[in-house]
Amino acid sequence: MAEHRIFGTSFASVYPHYVAKAERKGRTKAEVDRIIGWLTGYGQDALDAQLENGVDFRTFLAQAPRMHPSRNLIKGVVCGVRVEEVEDPTMRDIRYLDKLIDELARGKAMEKILRGD
């Protein structure tokens, strides 16, 4: 499936697009990092190391310290795909991250983006 090509894409190559999308809407890199940390359990130093190492998406998610147990509360459509219906667990986690960044860029409050955490 074409969407699985992203597995081999380095997370570091996509990360600047997440930050740029947020910053265009008046949000910050720190907020993007907080969302990534919430979803994956990466602290700032570990996130920076993953970015520096250029790991691909599959590795980035597989090595995540702790995928958030409430991530299944993330619902909605990203790129025409309903995230909760994505069958492949890795692809679903990628779509969850995409959805959270979309919510940030749309001005949603951080408490709501982080599902009350």
Side-chain angles (χ1 to χ4, degrees):
M1 184 173 246
E3 68 182 10
H4 291 134
R5 282 183 286 181
I6 195 163
F7 291 164
T9 302
S10 79
F11 180 74
S13 71
V14 177
Y15 174 79
H17 298 284
Y18 289 148
V19 173
K21 182 175 190 172
E23 289 178 342
R24 277 193 307 272
K25 299 296 184 166
R27 303 305 287 258
T28 66
K29 175 188 174 296
E31 288 174 308
V32 171
D33 291 354
R34 184 171 173 206
I35 287 169
I36 293 169
W38 177 87
L39 182 65
T40 63
Y42 282 111
Q44 191 63 55
D45 290 342
L47 173 59
D48 291 343
Q50 291 288 52
L51 292 168
E52 187 174 314
N53 292 335
V55 299
D56 60 44
F57 258 101
R58 183 181 296 278
T59 303
F60 179 77
L61 293 170
Q63 292 179 352
R66 180 184 143 284
M67 293 302 291
H68 200 285
S70 296
R71 68 188 185 281
N72 64 330
L73 298 176
I74 302 166
K75 309 278 187 219
V77 177
V78 173
C79 301
V81 176
R82 183 155 290 283
V83 295
E84 62 270 25
E85 294 175 1
V86 174
E87 290 185 27
D88 182 277
T90 302
M91 193 67 225
R92 188 176 330 113
D93 287 338
I94 292 168
R95 294 296 184 190
Y96 284 154
L97 180 54
D98 291 343
K99 181 66 178 164
L100 294 174
I101 299 300
D102 280 354
E103 290 176 358
L104 180 68
R106 291 186 179 166
K108 196 169 193 178
M110 194 59 103
E111 313 80 65
K112 292 188 184 223
I113 294 170
L114 302 182
R115 306 315 193 248
D117 277 3

